[in-house]
Amino acid sequence: RADLYIREAEAIESWCRERGVVVLQRLPYDASATEAMIEAKTVVEYGDGPLAQALHHLWIELADNLGLADLPPGCRAGPLLL
């Protein structure tokens, strides 16, 4: 929801930078998150909206930052849906 609260998002990112914490991505507001909860699904299961896409890219970037680039292709596709 960083796009709804830009000033607060910038303050959080500044706080993180000052402490050496890497911010990998800003997650956008997406009404489909609420719709997914109502249907008892994850955002990624529910659809391919802005939040689902951002989470997918975040997952890949996180795996890269953790040195998990050698994961099998299915694992790099995104979070496991249980």
Side-chain angles (χ1 to χ4, degrees), residues 22 24 58-69 76:
V22 176
L24 296 177
L58 175 61
W59 180 258
I60 291 171
E61 190 171 354
L62 181 60
D64 289 344
N65 276 276
L66 293 175
L68 302 175
R76 290 195 40 86

Side-chain angles (χ1 to χ4, degrees), residues 5-58:
Y5 304 104
I6 295 170
R7 185 175 296 163
E8 288 81 1
E10 290 171 350
I12 291 168
E13 288 179 3
S14 176
W15 183 92
C16 290
R17 265 192 313 276
E18 291 168 5
R19 288 157 179 81
V21 176
V22 176
V23 176
L24 296 177
Q25 186 155 18
R26 287 184 174 194
L27 298 178
Y29 171 76
D30 188 345
S32 68
T34 303
E35 297 164 7
M37 285 191 312
I38 291 169
E39 293 194 21
K41 294 182 178 180
T42 67
V43 173
V44 178
E45 287 176 305
Y46 184 75
D48 195 32
L51 181 56
Q53 290 178 21
L55 289 170
H56 175 76
H57 293 294
L58 175 61

